Amino acid sequence: MAKNSLTITDNRTGKQYELPIEEGGVVRASHFRDMKTAADDFGLMTYDPSFANTASCRSRITFIDGDAGILRYRGYPIEELAEKSNYLEVAYLIVKGELPNHKHYAAWEQNIKTHTMVHENIKKFMEGFRYDAHPMGMLVGTIGALSTFYPEANAITDLESRRLQTRRLIGKVPTLAAFAYRHTRGLPYVYPDNDLSYTGNFLSMLFRMAERDYQPNPILERALDVLFILHADHEQNCSTNAMRSVGSSQVDPYSAVAAATAALYGPLHGGANEAVIRMLMDIGSPKNVPDFIKRVKTGERRLMGFGHRVYKNYDPRAKIVKRIAYEVFEVTGLNRLIEISLELERIALEDDYFVSRKLYPNVDFYTGVTYQAMGFPMTMFPVLFAIPRTSGWMAQWAEMVRDPEQKIARPRQVYIGEVVRKWAPIDGRAEPTTREDAVSDQI
Ligand code: CMC
């Protein structure tokens, strides 16, 4: 019997099965299909709602050790990248697997900057949104609309096409994001300025008014660039799973990135940074923190920016964001909401409810106060997450497209509904049932 294996006895039949354990701790779910009671039996299935213990792919992009609080892109620790690299270089690393040398970096930067413009019709398209439309909703819509401008992007197996769409998306998403922001302010759109850095240009498209030459504050530009590095990829999170899942139908990458952006919008994912600020404003003062924590513990409230599916330790990104926040405050002045954040963190990290559940601050806990100090409205926070995550989504998508083991994503289900019912004409139907599990009560 192989040492790296698992022996299972099916007590229904008495049969024994030996399953290989791969990659130091992975068992293929497909082996369970062999465990049958009869030849026409479907075999066993594994049941794992929300994929809490299921690997959906093999990936070389991002490594997380949630217990140790470790995050690495392509093997490089996040702390080192945040200190020494810039976002465009990290995007290259994530997409291509290696850090670029001078020549490759220059070509990459040029290639991304070539694609910062969007078709004029996109502007018209944006004008159709209501004045108070959420910028993240606008971003989802306009990224999806890009697929109609580049119909050839559906050639997903073509390497050159994948490269082109990757550059286009990394180049254009900041422009769409800035246009969405300007739309909410009723301000004219600012065209890209390719003399500025990737992040500097984004700030220019957002905040430029009548200046001839807009120059971003270098400390704020660097702070935002580091925040972009921290958000570039995070392995199989909800939006990346959406990217891979939608992309697995072989749809074009614009449609898949629109789906991933929609997944990121939710308050349990990229929308958490916005939800954190709303929560802090609601708490109002550090003195109200103990009462708020009590309400979290009774389940009445959720401590936004805390907890993570994978990290059962301090999120390494949160440590860096906390430091960046103070660098930003040096320029902008203190965001007083951070006093509430600090008190929340202090009390939560001593409280058994949070300690026993291993709930620590995640990346979103300190990003909101930082973005707010920089002058971003709350509705822009998830958009600021989507911009850098575009490189991660595209890298994950390309890995999926090239992976011979990947097929269209199609989970199984455990059917728990009615077995078979007799159809009756409408006149003869009883009052709808009020049972708890009745379909009419669920929506
Ligand atoms: N506040 C209070 N209790 C919490 C929290 C929280 N933020 N997070 C988890 N718990 C409790 C949860 O109620 C459960 O308790 P019990 O065992 O008594 O039922 C236990 O901790 C385990 O939580 P879970 O909901 O099973 O954990 P999960 O892995 O499904 O959820 C999470 C992960 C991030 C969705 C969740 O921690 C959460 O809702 N956090 C707040 C939202 C947030 O900050 N999201 C940003 C995530 S990081 C950036 C990103 O990926 O976008």
Side-chain angles (χ1 to χ4, degrees):
M1 195 175 298
K3 203 163 176 222
N4 267 335
S5 68
L6 181 72
T7 303
I8 295 182
T9 307
D10 186 339
N11 294 325
R12 299 170 304 172
T13 59
K15 273 195 197 159
Q16 276 205 341
Y17 301 85
E18 197 185 330
L19 276 50
I21 299 177
E22 300 173 18
E23 320 265 354
V26 177
V27 175
R28 286 186 183 255
S30 57
H31 289 308
F32 288 84
R33 288 285 288 274
D34 301 335
M35 300 174 194
K36 302 169 187 250
T37 50
D40 60 353
D41 180 5
F42 175 84
L44 291 181
M45 252 194 310
T46 54
Y47 174 55
D48 188 14
S50 61
F51 309 130
N53 195 35
T54 293
S56 63
C57 62
R58 298 167 79 241
S59 180
R60 295 174 191 276
I61 302 170
T62 292
F63 171 80
I64 301 177
D65 181 334
D67 292 324
I70 290 173
L71 168 62
R72 295 184 198 126
Y73 297 157
R74 303 278 189 187
Y76 292 99
I78 191 68
E79 293 79 6
E80 213 175 345
L81 293 170
E83 196 191 325
K84 298 176 184 161
S85 279
N86 66 32
Y87 169 68
L88 263 197
E89 175 171 271
V90 169
Y92 183 102
L93 169 71
I94 285 177
V95 168
K96 296 186 179 283
E98 298 294 338
L99 282 169
N101 60 20
H102 278 302
K103 189 174 126 214
H104 287 130
Y105 181 78
W108 173 247
E109 186 178 33
Q110 173 64 26
N111 283 336
I112 301 291
K113 286 187 172 176
T114 306
H115 292 291
T116 49
M117 285 279 186
V118 293
H119 194 288
E120 283 293 290
N121 285 2
I122 288 277
K123 265 173 44 188
K124 292 194 196 133
F125 187 81
M126 283 206 148
E127 276 152 21
F129 286 109
R130 270 178 58 127
Y131 68 97
D132 59 352
H134 196 294
M136 194 65 168
M138 288 192 260
L139 191 65
V140 172
T142 47
I143 292 176
L146 284 182
S147 72
T148 66
F149 291 81
Y150 307 112
E152 75 284 1
N154 60 10
I156 62 157
T157 53
D158 180 69
L159 172 64
E160 279 315 312
S161 175
R162 284 202 303 270
R163 284 185 174 152
L164 178 59
Q165 314 322 325
T166 303
R167 294 176 202 144
R168 276 187 180 145
L169 271 155
I170 296 174
K172 289 184 200 310
V173 167
T175 313
L176 299 179
F179 282 13
Y181 167 75
R182 301 285 289 200
H183 178 85
T184 62
R185 297 276 143 145
L187 290 166
Y189 303 139
V190 176
Y191 286 106
D193 177 349
N194 287 347
D195 289 338
L196 296 173
S197 71
Y198 183 81
T199 309
N201 168 53
F202 176 56
L203 288 169
S204 161
M205 291 190 293
L206 287 166
F207 297 131
R208 185 172 182 171
M209 289 302 182
E211 313 89 318
R212 180 183 288 266
D213 286 313
Y214 175 89
Q215 286 302 329
N217 178 300
I219 296 177
L220 300 186
E221 181 184 357
R222 174 65 190 158
L224 189 58
D225 204 60
V226 175
L227 290 167
F228 279 0
I229 293 173
L230 301 182
H231 287 88
D233 195 57
H234 212 234
E235 50 118 310
Q236 307 312 311
N237 54 82
C238 177
S239 58
T240 302
N241 182 57
M243 180 78 201
R244 282 181 174 259
S245 182
V246 172
S248 75
S249 73
Q250 302 192 347
V251 74
D252 68 273
Y254 299 96
S255 302
V257 171
T261 310
L264 188 68
Y265 196 174
L268 296 189
H269 192 11
N273 45 22
E274 184 179 339
V276 168
I277 292 293
R278 293 191 193 283
M279 173 190 77
L280 296 176
M281 292 194 318
D282 200 25
I283 297 171
S285 156
K287 73 176 179 353
N288 300 330
V289 166
D291 182 52
F292 179 81
I293 293 280
K294 264 190 217 151
R295 290 162 68 201
V296 171
K297 286 159 64 174
T298 59
E300 193 190 328
R301 295 295 301 263
R302 183 153 276 241
L303 180 47
M304 300 309 289
F306 251 69
H308 200 276
R309 173 64 58 81
V310 183
Y311 292 119
K312 300 302 166 199
N313 199 327
Y314 214 102
D315 180 338
R317 301 168 300 172
K319 277 188 197 146
I320 303 171
V321 181
K322 199 171 172 184
R323 176 173 54 73
I324 299 281
Y326 284 96
E327 288 172 19
V328 167
F329 299 156
E330 286 287 316
V331 178
T332 62
L334 188 73
N335 182 345
R336 298 220 76 97
L337 288 178
I338 199 160
E339 291 166 359
I340 306 175
S341 317
L342 292 170
E343 185 63 358
L344 274 171
E345 182 183 337
R346 189 186 69 76
I347 296 192
L349 294 186
E350 285 173 357
D351 191 299
D352 188 55
Y353 175 94
F354 298 91
V355 175
S356 62
R357 289 171 178 77
K358 299 187 176 168
L359 301 173
Y360 292 87
N362 61 49
V363 69
D364 289 315
F365 195 61
Y366 288 105
T367 47
V369 285
T370 315
Y371 293 145
Q372 200 179 40
M374 291 173 83
F376 291 107
M378 273 184 283
T379 52
M380 278 299 283
F381 298 176
V383 173
L384 295 170
F385 196 151
I387 294 170
R389 188 53 61 89
T390 303
S391 57
W393 288 330
M394 291 307 283
Q396 297 271 354
W397 169 75
E399 193 176 62
M400 186 262 310
V401 169
R402 291 192 330 263
D403 183 345
E405 279 203 302
Q406 292 290 336
K407 295 180 177 186
I408 188 165
R410 191 3 179 136
R412 312 294 306 204
Q413 65 164 11
V414 181
Y415 179 71
I416 56 165
E418 307 285 351
V419 179
V420 62
R421 294 202 278 182
K422 202 167 162 33
W423 190 91
I426 193 162
D427 292 341
R429 291 178 199 160
E431 275 296 299
T433 171
T434 52
R435 282 188 351 245
E436 225 179 56
D437 62 346
V439 174
S440 55
D441 290 341
Q442 291 170 9
I443 45 174

